[in-house]
Amino acid sequence: MALETESVTRDKLSLADTEIDWARLDKTRFHVIGAVLFTVQQALIHPTAVVKTRMQVADSRLAHMPGMVVFKDILRNDGIPGVFRGFGTSAIGSLPGRVLALTSLEMSKDMMLKYTQGLNIPETTRIGVANGVAGMFSSLISSLYFVPLEVICQRLIVQGLPGATVYIDPFDVARKVIKAEGFRGLYRGFGLTALTNSPAVALWWGAYGAAQRIIWRSLGYRDDSEKKPSHMEMMAVQATAGMVAGACSSVITTPIDTVKTRLQVIDDYGVARPSVLKTTKILLKEDGWWGFYRGFCPRFLNMSLYGTTMIVTYELI
């Protein structure tokens, strides 16, 4: 009987155990195992990112096609490698950036939770604010690393489109961009990324933290309750909260992402250096206001799948 009781206890988690703080994390496991799992997760959703980018950058004919038609068109013309263009560069290049992002996220979240402890605010609000502020800070720090990587990957993804520059490999992208525009060419869209990604990431983590808390409470779980969720329940709740957060974020941030992607990739704007204003005007001229939602369906799918798979992987490790 004692063994049975011990087994049941091991299979259950207190509600507090669903939110692991930085001090309790095994840092080696968190980063090493996380690198492997996040790379697998990234491979699963990369094709949706390729379709999204193609639709945002291509001419109106391709941009107005359904995402599945664009996906089939890429497969027909380029085969399987076509839907994984830029993946190797993104996967390998993301490893140090992910360590930077996750470390800054967890440390800042831990600090915010300690700072807000004891304040007279609802626990759901406190968790949402802590997650949101941590996400914003992490995004600002990691943008310094990820923007050049994103510029390189986006240019590799649009290989084959009319007017796109031909590159041999990611190093060739970096060489040509630096030769044409100097080092700042690798930071095209950095200001837009910093000004928009931080609120977007804050929205994502804030929505995730609040959604998870609301779901737990709707299921009858409380911090002081003897009722304990199982591991399967924990994964299901986290996956649902991640999907909700990803869906909310994609609806709000797609117009900004469209402008940023075109700014990072398109070169044929004349002699002047591309700018946010010029990119926006050309997009409006081509498609009107609906142009800002180019590639919305694959991006919605990408962020929803990303939110679900990423957060389950993240919380497990």
Side-chain angles (χ1 to χ4, degrees), residues 71-306:
F71 177 75
K72 290 178 179 178
D73 184 67
I74 296 173
L75 277 179
R76 183 171 57 252
N77 294 324
D78 302 320
I80 296 295
V83 295
F84 281 96
R85 276 190 174 165
F87 171 70
T89 302
S90 177
I92 296 173
S94 293
L95 294 178
R98 192 173 288 123
V99 172
L100 175 65
L102 294 181
T103 300
S104 59
L105 173 73
E106 284 299 330
M107 291 183 69
S108 54
K109 183 170 70 173
D110 186 54
M111 290 176 61
M112 281 300 300
L113 287 173
K114 289 178 180 177
Y115 180 77
T116 56
Q117 193 171 20
L119 295 180
N120 189 26
I121 56 175
E123 187 65 10
T124 298
T125 302
R126 189 175 81 90
I127 296 295
V129 168
N131 276 273
V133 171
M136 181 180 294
F137 179 75
S138 174
S139 176
L140 283 172
I141 296 298
S142 59
S143 289
L144 292 168
Y145 177 87
F146 277 114
V147 168
L149 179 65
E150 186 177 31
V151 169
I152 292 172
C153 291
Q154 299 281 25
R155 286 173 175 262
L156 290 173
I157 286 174
V158 299
Q159 293 282 282
L161 290 180
T165 306
V166 177
Y167 302 105
I168 300 173
D169 53 39
F171 300 104
D172 188 42
V173 178
R175 281 194 299 268
K176 289 180 177 177
V177 171
I178 292 174
K179 183 178 179 180
E181 301 181 51
F183 192 71
R184 70 174 186 168
L186 292 175
Y187 277 90
R188 269 200 198 181
F190 176 78
L192 195 61
T193 300
L195 288 173
T196 57
N197 269 19
S198 295
V201 173
L203 169 66
W204 196 100
W205 281 102
Y208 169 72
Q212 184 181 197
R213 202 76 182 181
I214 291 170
I215 295 171
W216 281 128
R217 292 192 177 280
S218 68
L219 294 175
Y221 292 101
R222 299 289 188 277
D223 291 324
D224 56 352
S225 173
E226 293 184 1
K227 186 180 179 182
K228 311 292 184 183
S230 66
H231 287 281
M232 288 303 296
E233 285 178 309
M234 184 180 74
M235 290 178 62
V237 169
Q238 289 167 348
T240 303
M243 182 174 63
V244 170
C248 292
S249 183
S250 67
V251 171
I252 296 172
T253 61
T254 291
I256 300 168
D257 183 73
T258 300
V259 174
K260 183 192 71 173
T261 300
R262 291 171 67 88
L263 179 64
Q264 291 176 333
V265 171
I266 296 178
D267 290 320
D268 56 346
Y269 286 146
V271 294
R273 188 172 187 267
S275 66
V276 173
L277 182 59
K278 187 180 293 185
T279 304
T280 302
K281 286 181 177 179
I282 291 176
L283 185 59
L284 279 171
K285 184 178 179 180
E286 289 179 358
D287 287 326
W289 291 103
W290 286 110
F292 291 103
Y293 275 89
R294 278 188 177 193
F296 171 73
C297 289
R299 187 165 192 269
F300 183 90
L301 179 63
N302 176 276
M303 293 195 70
S304 298
L305 289 175
Y306 174 80

Side-chain angles (χ1 to χ4, degrees), residues 58-78:
D59 58 33
S60 296
R61 179 191 64 83
L62 188 65
H64 294 154
M65 288 182 179
M68 185 56 68
V69 174
V70 176
F71 177 75
K72 290 178 179 178
D73 184 67
I74 296 173
L75 277 179
R76 183 171 57 252
N77 294 324
D78 302 320

